[in-house]
Short mmCIF file of all heavy atoms in Angstrom, two decimals:
data_model
loop_
_atom_site.label_atom_id
_atom_site.label_comp_id
_atom_site.label_asym_id
_atom_site.label_seq_id
_atom_site.Cartn_x
_atom_site.Cartn_y
_atom_site.Cartn_z
N THR A 272 103.27 31.90 -73.26
CA THR A 272 103.93 30.84 -72.44
C THR A 272 104.70 29.79 -73.22
O THR A 272 105.74 29.39 -72.91
CB THR A 272 102.90 30.34 -71.52
OG1 THR A 272 102.12 31.37 -71.10
CG2 THR A 272 103.47 29.44 -70.30
N PHE A 273 103.84 29.34 -74.28
CA PHE A 273 104.43 28.23 -75.13
C PHE A 273 104.67 28.63 -76.54
O PHE A 273 104.14 29.79 -76.91
CB PHE A 273 103.47 27.03 -75.04
CG PHE A 273 103.16 26.48 -73.61
CD1 PHE A 273 101.90 26.77 -73.13
CD2 PHE A 273 104.11 25.90 -72.88
CE1 PHE A 273 101.56 26.36 -71.85
CE2 PHE A 273 103.81 25.49 -71.56
CZ PHE A 273 102.61 25.70 -71.13
N ILE A 318 99.24 25.61 -64.33
CA ILE A 318 100.25 26.32 -63.44
C ILE A 318 101.07 27.39 -64.27
O ILE A 318 101.64 26.94 -65.32
CB ILE A 318 101.33 25.28 -62.89
CG1 ILE A 318 100.50 24.16 -62.15
CG2 ILE A 318 102.02 26.09 -61.78
CD1 ILE A 318 101.43 23.02 -61.85
N ARG A 319 100.94 28.67 -63.95
CA ARG A 319 101.64 29.66 -64.57
C ARG A 319 102.34 30.57 -63.66
O ARG A 319 101.73 31.10 -62.72
CB ARG A 319 100.73 30.39 -65.48
CG ARG A 319 99.99 29.78 -66.49
CD ARG A 319 100.84 29.36 -67.77
NE ARG A 319 100.04 28.67 -68.62
CZ ARG A 319 99.70 27.34 -68.63
NH1 ARG A 319 100.09 26.57 -67.74
NH2 ARG A 319 99.03 26.83 -69.68
N ILE A 320 103.67 30.74 -63.84
CA ILE A 320 104.36 31.82 -63.02
C ILE A 320 104.92 32.75 -63.92
O ILE A 320 105.49 32.45 -65.02
CB ILE A 320 105.54 30.99 -62.31
CG1 ILE A 320 104.97 29.73 -61.40
CG2 ILE A 320 106.33 31.96 -61.27
CD1 ILE A 320 103.99 30.12 -60.33
N ARG A 325 110.07 33.31 -61.61
CA ARG A 325 110.34 31.85 -61.59
C ARG A 325 111.52 31.43 -60.65
O ARG A 325 112.34 32.30 -60.27
CB ARG A 325 110.50 31.36 -63.08
CG ARG A 325 109.26 31.47 -63.77
CD ARG A 325 109.26 30.83 -65.12
NE ARG A 325 107.91 31.04 -65.80
CZ ARG A 325 107.71 30.96 -67.08
NH1 ARG A 325 108.78 30.59 -67.91
NH2 ARG A 325 106.58 31.30 -67.50
N ARG A 326 111.47 30.15 -60.37
CA ARG A 326 112.54 29.53 -59.50
C ARG A 326 112.65 30.10 -58.10
O ARG A 326 113.72 30.38 -57.54
CB ARG A 326 113.97 29.77 -60.17
CG ARG A 326 114.88 28.63 -60.09
CD ARG A 326 114.41 27.39 -60.75
NE ARG A 326 115.05 26.27 -60.34
CZ ARG A 326 116.07 25.56 -60.89
NH1 ARG A 326 116.63 26.10 -61.90
NH2 ARG A 326 116.66 24.57 -60.45
N GLN A 327 111.50 30.64 -57.63
CA GLN A 327 111.46 31.08 -56.17
C GLN A 327 110.45 30.20 -55.40
O GLN A 327 109.86 30.65 -54.45
CB GLN A 327 110.88 32.55 -56.10
CG GLN A 327 111.77 33.58 -56.80
CD GLN A 327 111.28 34.90 -56.95
OE1 GLN A 327 110.56 35.27 -56.04
NE2 GLN A 327 111.61 35.77 -57.90
N ASN A 328 110.26 28.95 -56.06
CA ASN A 328 109.32 28.03 -55.26
C ASN A 328 107.87 28.43 -55.29
O ASN A 328 107.13 27.84 -54.47
CB ASN A 328 109.82 27.98 -53.80
CG ASN A 328 110.16 26.53 -53.41
OD1 ASN A 328 110.16 25.73 -54.31
ND2 ASN A 328 110.46 26.36 -52.15
N ILE A 329 107.51 29.34 -56.25
CA ILE A 329 105.98 29.77 -56.09
C ILE A 329 105.21 28.73 -56.67
O ILE A 329 104.13 28.48 -56.05
CB ILE A 329 105.98 31.14 -56.97
CG1 ILE A 329 106.82 32.12 -56.23
CG2 ILE A 329 104.52 31.57 -57.02
CD1 ILE A 329 106.83 33.48 -56.87
N ALA A 330 105.62 28.07 -57.88
CA ALA A 330 104.69 27.00 -58.39
C ALA A 330 104.52 25.91 -57.29
O ALA A 330 103.46 25.36 -56.94
CB ALA A 330 105.22 26.41 -59.58
N SER A 331 105.67 25.63 -56.62
CA SER A 331 105.57 24.47 -55.68
C SER A 331 104.73 24.88 -54.57
O SER A 331 103.88 23.92 -54.10
CB SER A 331 107.07 24.31 -55.13
OG SER A 331 107.94 24.02 -56.11
N LEU A 352 98.88 16.94 -65.95
CA LEU A 352 99.24 16.54 -67.39
C LEU A 352 100.38 17.46 -67.88
O LEU A 352 100.10 18.70 -67.78
CB LEU A 352 98.12 16.87 -68.26
CG LEU A 352 98.16 16.57 -69.75
CD1 LEU A 352 98.41 15.15 -70.08
CD2 LEU A 352 96.85 16.99 -70.54
N ILE A 353 101.48 16.85 -68.25
CA ILE A 353 102.59 17.63 -68.57
C ILE A 353 103.12 17.26 -69.97
O ILE A 353 103.32 16.06 -70.15
CB ILE A 353 103.80 17.46 -67.64
CG1 ILE A 353 103.28 18.09 -66.25
CG2 ILE A 353 104.97 18.40 -68.09
CD1 ILE A 353 104.38 17.89 -65.08
N ASN A 357 108.16 19.42 -71.94
CA ASN A 357 108.24 20.46 -71.09
C ASN A 357 109.22 20.07 -69.86
O ASN A 357 108.66 19.77 -68.78
CB ASN A 357 106.80 20.88 -70.60
CG ASN A 357 106.82 22.18 -69.67
OD1 ASN A 357 107.79 22.64 -69.24
ND2 ASN A 357 105.69 22.64 -69.46
N VAL A 359 111.24 21.64 -67.92
CA VAL A 359 111.13 22.53 -66.62
C VAL A 359 109.90 21.94 -65.75
O VAL A 359 110.12 21.71 -64.43
CB VAL A 359 111.05 23.92 -67.01
CG1 VAL A 359 110.74 24.75 -65.73
CG2 VAL A 359 112.35 24.47 -67.62
N SER A 360 108.78 21.94 -66.39
CA SER A 360 107.66 21.50 -65.72
C SER A 360 107.78 20.08 -65.08
O SER A 360 107.34 19.66 -63.93
CB SER A 360 106.35 21.50 -66.42
OG SER A 360 105.27 21.40 -65.67
N SER A 362 110.60 18.68 -64.24
CA SER A 362 111.63 18.77 -63.09
C SER A 362 110.75 19.26 -61.92
O SER A 362 110.90 18.74 -60.71
CB SER A 362 112.72 19.78 -63.32
OG SER A 362 113.36 19.46 -64.50
N MET A 363 109.88 20.32 -62.06
CA MET A 363 109.06 20.75 -61.01
C MET A 363 108.17 19.66 -60.32
O MET A 363 108.27 19.39 -59.16
CB MET A 363 108.20 21.87 -61.38
CG MET A 363 107.33 22.31 -60.22
SD MET A 363 105.88 23.22 -60.98
CE MET A 363 105.07 21.80 -61.71
N SER A 366 110.30 17.22 -58.56
CA SER A 366 110.86 17.65 -57.19
C SER A 366 109.72 17.65 -56.23
O SER A 366 109.91 17.76 -54.93
CB SER A 366 111.33 19.13 -57.37
OG SER A 366 110.24 20.09 -57.55
C1 COA B 263 106.94 25.28 -64.70
C2 COA B 263 106.82 26.54 -63.81
C3 COA B 263 105.36 26.54 -63.32
C4 COA B 263 107.79 26.36 -62.64
O1 COA B 263 107.50 27.39 -61.77
P1 COA B 263 108.51 27.89 -60.60
O2 COA B 263 107.86 28.76 -59.64
O3 COA B 263 109.62 28.52 -61.44
O4 COA B 263 108.93 26.52 -59.96
P2 COA B 263 109.54 26.35 -58.55
O5 COA B 263 110.43 27.42 -58.14
O6 COA B 263 108.47 25.91 -57.66
O7 COA B 263 110.60 25.06 -58.85
C5 COA B 263 110.48 23.89 -58.14
C6 COA B 263 111.49 22.94 -58.63
O8 COA B 263 111.34 22.67 -60.11
C7 COA B 263 112.53 22.49 -60.82
N1 COA B 263 112.70 23.65 -61.56
C8 COA B 263 111.90 24.70 -61.82
N2 COA B 263 112.31 25.47 -62.79
C9 COA B 263 113.45 24.77 -63.36
C10 COA B 263 114.20 25.08 -64.34
N3 COA B 263 114.23 26.13 -65.21
N4 COA B 263 115.17 24.14 -64.71
C11 COA B 263 115.35 23.04 -64.07
N5 COA B 263 114.63 22.76 -63.06
C12 COA B 263 113.64 23.66 -62.63
C13 COA B 263 113.62 22.60 -59.64
O9 COA B 263 113.74 21.28 -59.26
C14 COA B 263 112.90 23.39 -58.64
O10 COA B 263 113.39 23.32 -57.37
P3 COA B 263 114.76 24.08 -56.91
O11 COA B 263 114.57 25.57 -57.40
O12 COA B 263 114.90 23.93 -55.53
O13 COA B 263 115.95 23.44 -57.65
C15 COA B 263 107.17 27.84 -64.57
O14 COA B 263 108.32 27.64 -65.24
C16 COA B 263 106.30 28.15 -65.64
O15 COA B 263 105.29 28.96 -65.39
N6 COA B 263 106.46 27.63 -66.84
C17 COA B 263 105.51 28.00 -67.94
C18 COA B 263 104.26 27.36 -67.84
C19 COA B 263 104.25 25.77 -67.73
O16 COA B 263 105.01 25.12 -68.26
N7 COA B 263 103.38 25.30 -66.73
C20 COA B 263 103.23 24.01 -66.52
C21 COA B 263 102.44 23.36 -67.47
S1 COA B 263 102.18 21.62 -67.04
#
Side-chain angles (χ1 to χ4, degrees):
T272 314
F273 305 107
I318 311 172
R319 299 288 183 276
I320 305 300
R325 287 187 186 162
R326 218 64 200 262
Q327 297 179 26
N328 240 4
I329 299 177
S331 305
L352 173 67
I353 302 177
N357 190 343
V359 169
S360 189
S362 302
M363 178 204 63
S366 78

